[in-house]
Amino acid sequence: MTARPATEREIPPLADLGPIVARGNGRAYGDSAIGARLTVEMARFNCLLAFDEMSGLLVCEAGVLLKDIIETFLPQGWFPYVTPGTKFVTIGGMLAADVHGKNHHIDGSFGKWVEWIDLITPEGAVSRCSAQHDRDLFEATIGGMGLTGIILRAAFRLRRVETAFIRQTTIAAPNLDAAMALFDAHEDSTYSVAWIDCLSKGNSLGRSIVMLGEHASSKDLPKRSASKFLHWEKARSVSIPFPLPLSPLNKVSISLFNALYYRRMKNKSAESIVDWNSFFYPLDAIARWNNIYGRNGFVQHQSVIPLERARDGLRQMLQYLNRHSNGSFLAVLKKFGDQGGRWSFPMPGYTLALDFPVGRQTEQIMQRLNEIVAEHGGRLYLAKDACLDRATALKLDKRLGDLKDFRLDRGFSHRYASRQAERLGL
Amino acid sequence: MSNRHAMILGATSEMATALAYEMAKRQIDLTLVARDVPSLERVRADLSLRYNVTVSLETLDIMDAGQRHQFLARKGLSPDIVACFVGTLGDEMKARGDERALTDILHANFEGPAIVLSALANAMVANGGGVIVGVSSVAGERGRQSNYVYGAAKAGFTAFLSGLRNRLVGEKVHVVTILPGFVDTKMTRHLALPKVLTATPQEVALSIMAAINKRRNIVYVKPVWRVIMFCVKATPEFIFKKLKM
């Protein structure tokens, strides 16, 4: 069941029907935004409310899309401090998952830039929490997967930028060690992320293309009139309108693509100026890209392994994928900085994001990957999870027990719950 | 050149809000007029942040003669465009036997809008031109047992708009009559409406913008309604009176 309220008064009675959870733009990969009993779509809470041009503090409703924020404020020289890999997410969702971006090692996750949050409490009142007022609830809501109340509004800061462009540097890394060395060597780079080839073997295991980025200054943009620094061409986009009957993604096609892509990127000029859409949101150019996985769809697996065990853990995962899977079409490697919020996913270490078309072996692959993550002291990103079971979840992330206790303590458990929260016993 | 300026009456309706967004996108400044102005604050903030237009809010209960007077007596009341969404289905069943319920429907859908639009039309004439958009209803084309009080009020409003259009044709004031058919809004959400006959608030807004630009007179948002209403009107009364609709 879903509800699509238009005013905040309509929300508290919905929780009387059984545990509810808010849903933003539905871009979580699993069931974290599907209500245990009822899903509350926040699409109609989509107003920008106030913007302070001195501090860059933006107040908006939870259902506002990140895309709208960028398109409104980038022409005035502002950009979000933290953005995930798609702009089609809502502010409420970004808060609930405490999303991270390619600059996590410098700027932390989204919650770091949030000043306050308005939530609907179990009693049906609206409560504003911040670092000063009800800090407990504030911290629990950042990364709390929407399980601490319905997020209505939030205030967070944007960053000043001079142009709408990124100075991008790509460097080929012939194997995992080289990729990790590049992350270490470029810790000062504002943005860093790597595309990783999960099917390369032997000496090439984990070969990657590391991409670094800096916000371009006006001096970096040649042949452009000053008024054009904050303007960009409208992004071209294509759509995959329906699930492909046969997914073109298999071991042969992915290996071939990876080899070609690696060679092409290796020989490409290392530095280039790209617009914000192509740097941050390459996948947004293909509407409904998930249809490429066919009718069975796909699952994601994103883990983080702490620094000291990362090399070993990543090697084991890659070797396993090599032997037992068809590879992952979109595999991303990134070095994280410090953990932000209490329940936030990132920790100092390496994160590996993978996706797999759903098939007979999916469950087995996920299980083995989880074992490797657990053996190396890592954990999983709940915004991407659709498959975990209770025991594994708790083993991977002891903090989930605290989240459960916090919810019981505050009387949230019977008012707010997602299918994921039920599945994991949160 | 300064922005054009539009006044939207009944601005809390979802169609009206959708029109406000389409207008703001086109850099038209707005005055949003409604009974419940506080609920429009968030829309005002959003419109001005997103589109950098000036948006002001005015309180007016169109059923209240005192408020109408005060509202119309204000100086500088000269928008380039006026769009009137004021109206309510009311309690049709109650109106069958209750005088107050019946006059409320007539008042909200016909009398109130007609009085305010008359005054605004005169201001526009004095100002040298403008466009008036009245949102009426296909229910006004022929009375049916299920909602003939509402239908009668809308019939009156439709006739008022066509007379106004006729009167102002030489005065550079253009009048558009919008007949939305079914619209997917909170007024109709509890009804199971056939999809092909139902417009979204945004479709209504876009057809209003097109009607303003192309100086259209009578607009069915979904063209299929023109066919349906032609048949409804063509049915002989001795048959029509026996139909259950």
Side-chain angles (χ1 to χ4, degrees), chain A residues 115-155:
Chain A
E115 301 250 309
W116 53 257
I117 305 168
D118 275 352
L119 283 159
I120 295 190
T121 64
E123 296 77 36
V126 176
S127 155
R128 177 162 301 180
C129 59
S130 65
Q132 289 76 41
H133 182 256
D134 203 348
R135 186 179 188 134
D136 237 20
L137 181 62
F138 180 64
E139 289 181 346
T141 300
I142 294 168
M145 299 308 289
L147 301 173
T148 61
I150 304 286
I151 301 171
L152 273 182
R153 283 176 288 269

Side-chain angles (χ1 to χ4, degrees), chain A residues 406-420:
Chain A
F406 178 82
R407 276 162 52 71
L408 275 172
D409 207 44
R410 290 276 187 134
F412 292 165
S413 311
H414 64 287
R415 304 283 289 178
Y416 308 118
S418 58
R419 293 268 175 88
Q420 181 181 49

Side-chain angles (χ1 to χ4, degrees), chain A residues 376-397:
Chain A
H376 293 83
R379 61 187 180 222
L380 288 197
Y381 191 16
L382 288 185
K384 298 201 171 176
D385 153 62
C387 316
L388 272 174
D389 58 84
R390 248 172 234 214
T392 316
L394 260 175
K395 198 166 85 186
L396 281 164
D397 200 338

